[in-house]
Amino acid sequence: MHIVIVGNGKVGFSLAQQLVREKHEVTIVDLQDATLRRASDVLDAMMVRGNGVSVETLEEAGAGDADLLVAATNSDEVNMVCCLTAKNLGAKFTIARIRNPEYTKGLAGLRRNLK
């Protein structure tokens, strides 16, 4: 599977580590050079520096052809927009890390729009 992970913090890095171990093709997107360097030192994954809501960045990461895109940044809003953009580019499945319970009220409508 080709999997794009946006956000290389604790959650994104741990997820990438496990997926690489399972022999998936992983691409990590992050704004920080230091976190990408740390990941590239220990993971057999592609690194893309950029903003996860940018169409150009997501295209460079191959989000349009991805089997799965996981948005795991510290921002719920960035994660939601990232998934919407990736879905519009052609990603088969998307997962957004959302921590604010306020957003759960509107998730049913959002899910309908993403199918």
Side-chain angles (χ1 to χ4, degrees), residues 9-64:
K10 288 180 184 177
V11 173
F13 181 78
S14 295
L15 182 59
Q17 223 174 7
Q18 181 62 38
L19 292 168
V20 166
R21 259 189 244 125
E22 294 175 7
K23 306 293 185 211
H24 294 286
E25 178 187 329
V26 176
T27 301
I28 299 171
V29 177
D30 200 279
L31 284 169
Q32 304 295 321
D33 284 327
T35 62
L36 291 174
R37 269 194 308 276
R38 177 188 70 152
S40 70
D41 287 346
V42 295
L43 298 177
D44 182 20
M46 185 175 143
M47 307 296 157
V48 174
R49 185 184 180 286
N51 188 331
V53 296
S54 162
V55 171
E56 292 81 15
T57 299
L58 290 176
E59 285 177 338
E60 182 181 346

Side-chain angles (χ1 to χ4, degrees), residues 47-98:
M47 307 296 157
V48 174
R49 185 184 180 286
N51 188 331
V53 296
S54 162
V55 171
E56 292 81 15
T57 299
L58 290 176
E59 285 177 338
E60 182 181 346
D65 299 319
D67 296 301
L68 174 65
L69 178 133
V70 179
T73 72
N74 288 329
S75 169
D76 293 348
E77 294 82 3
V78 166
N79 293 341
M80 289 186 287
V81 173
C82 178
C83 285
L84 287 168
T85 304
K87 198 68 173 166
N88 284 328
L89 288 173
K92 290 183 183 119
F93 296 97
T94 60
I95 298 172
R97 176 185 183 204
I98 299 174

